[in-house]
Amino acid sequence: MTDANRKTLKSVLESAILYLQECGIEDAARDAWLLMEYVSGMNHSTYYANSSDEMDRGQYQRFRELLEKRGSHIPLQYLTGEAWFYGLCFHVNEHVLIPRQDTEVLVEEALSHLSGGERILDLCTGSGCILTAILHETPGCTGTGADISPEALEIAAENAAELGERAQFVKSDLFRDVEGSYDLIVSNPPYIRTQVIEELMPEVKDHEPRIALDGKEDGLYFYRRIISDARGYLKEGGYLCVEIGYDQGQEVRELMEQSGYTDLVVRRDLSGLDRVVSGRKGPV
Ligand code: GLN
């Protein structure tokens, strides 16, 4: 092999970045690096100290495979199998939505209503990241995560394994198979209007579970069901906190008001967009 053909870490990384750029991947340099880190176990300092070394053949093959997948717009987190949320690392696969940073404000809102000992229900739990993050912060609380997808529940249970008995999971279409009463109900339901899904990034529209995104015609389908049914599962004075799309604050707030919730709050995410609505179950 001539010297020019040597596949050094540096040359492999540089061509990987170019390749991802050509595929239209937004953050090509970051993703190429993260895949290299994932495949080789290197960190920045070991990379810089060894960047002119030849890359291990097996690792190179594996890197090429993953790069091609990323080039076809499969989200990075599905390739590495993990995503960070609220300071914790979660297992993810194509059966669950990748946790979004925007959703951390939902966890914050939920935590503001908990002091210890409460029971929490997380509807459409997906990867279980919301319930797990909440219970991680509140050692005295217990919770149930519900989802219609058995594949999602498997991942959620894995993610919550460290919490032991404090986290339970149930397969349920919203409240259908949920039992008991709760101090706090939290949910990040599907809320994208069906028509808008086609306009989303290929990573989202082609690879994340449609069932976790599609809020039907006006995007509010699941809020209507959750807001009216939650009353039957909330204790008096309990809170309902839901994530919303940036343009749904007013509508979801009104739905909650009409159903008799009080103390309504619309909270913004770090980008300054409406992201959470919460309210308290008042007497009808
Ligand atoms: N926030 C997600 C997105 O923008 C949607 C999440 C949802 O529908 N619950 O893709």
Side-chain angles (χ1 to χ4, degrees):
M1 196 188 284
T2 65
D3 208 36
N5 280 337
R6 281 184 74 232
K7 294 196 178 2
T8 63
L9 294 172
K10 186 166 188 287
S11 66
V12 170
L13 183 60
E14 282 172 359
S15 23
I17 295 171
L18 282 178
Y19 173 71
L20 290 185
Q21 279 169 346
E22 279 161 16
C23 295
I25 301 301
E26 223 168 77
D27 219 334
R30 184 202 59 180
D31 286 10
W33 167 255
L34 289 173
L35 286 177
M36 177 164 272
E37 195 179 43
Y38 175 68
V39 161
S40 67
M42 276 185 309
N43 58 35
H44 274 113
S45 50
T46 48
Y47 168 77
Y48 285 114
N50 302 295
S51 64
S52 53
D53 288 0
E54 200 152 342
M55 191 171 184
D56 171 88
R57 265 183 169 279
Q59 287 181 2
Y60 177 69
Q61 281 311 329
R62 182 89 188 102
F63 183 62
R64 287 274 305 254
E65 284 164 23
L66 290 172
L67 205 63
E68 226 165 87
K69 289 189 176 163
R70 184 67 194 101
S72 73
H73 291 264
I74 298 178
L76 181 88
Q77 294 90 335
Y78 289 156
L79 299 178
T80 62
E82 52 183 51
W84 286 85
F85 178 78
Y86 218 84
L88 301 168
C89 189
F90 290 90
H91 298 289
V92 292
N93 66 17
E94 71 280 8
H95 298 296
V96 300
L97 206 68
I98 297 166
R100 312 281 205 260
Q101 200 180 12
D102 296 339
T103 304
E104 291 178 342
V105 68
L106 178 61
V107 173
E108 271 176 15
E109 178 62 24
L111 290 173
S112 75
H113 301 297
L114 299 170
S115 53
E118 288 93 346
R119 287 188 72 192
I120 300 146
L121 173 67
D122 176 18
L123 287 182
C124 312
T125 196
S127 67
C129 67
I130 297 167
L131 182 68
T132 302
I134 293 172
L135 293 179
H136 197 262
E137 298 289 320
T138 53
C141 293
T142 54
T144 300
D147 205 288
I148 197 170
S149 154
E151 292 89 357
L153 288 170
E154 239 175 74
I155 296 283
E158 249 182 66
N159 282 325
E162 268 184 38
L163 297 166
E165 293 293 299
R166 291 174 56 218
Q168 308 278 334
F169 292 93
V170 56
K171 178 177 162 355
S172 177
D173 177 6
L174 298 183
F175 289 100
R176 186 171 296 157
D177 296 303
V178 169
E179 284 172 2
S181 60
Y182 297 85
D183 301 280
L184 181 114
I185 298 177
V186 74
S187 183
N188 176 15
Y191 58 66
I192 314 270
R193 292 193 297 281
T194 306
Q195 270 200 327
V196 173
I197 292 184
E198 286 316 311
E199 297 163 20
L200 301 176
M201 295 162 69
E203 277 79 353
V204 180
K205 76 175 158 79
D206 298 335
H207 298 285
E208 295 204 79
R210 230 6 106 109
I211 191 183
L213 295 166
D214 192 342
K216 306 207 191 247
E217 202 173 338
D218 67 354
L220 301 173
Y221 174 83
F222 292 95
Y223 298 118
R224 290 195 187 90
R225 287 181 57 190
I226 291 171
I227 289 169
S228 63
D229 293 354
R231 294 190 59 90
Y233 294 82
L234 272 176
K235 296 182 188 167
E236 203 61 41
Y239 281 86
L240 172 64
C241 308
V242 293
E243 176 168 326
I244 53 158
Y246 71 96
D247 55 356
Q248 293 172 324
Q250 187 62 25
E251 289 163 312
V252 173
R253 191 196 156 104
E254 278 169 16
L255 285 174
M256 285 181 73
E257 212 159 27
Q258 287 157 14
S259 286
Y261 291 81
T262 63
D263 303 40
L264 293 162
V265 174
V266 180
R267 250 179 106 140
R268 295 187 173 165
D269 61 25
L270 290 176
S271 318
L273 302 171
D274 286 349
R275 189 56 64 196
V276 167
V277 181
S278 81
R280 189 161 182 255
K281 178 183 169 180
V284 187

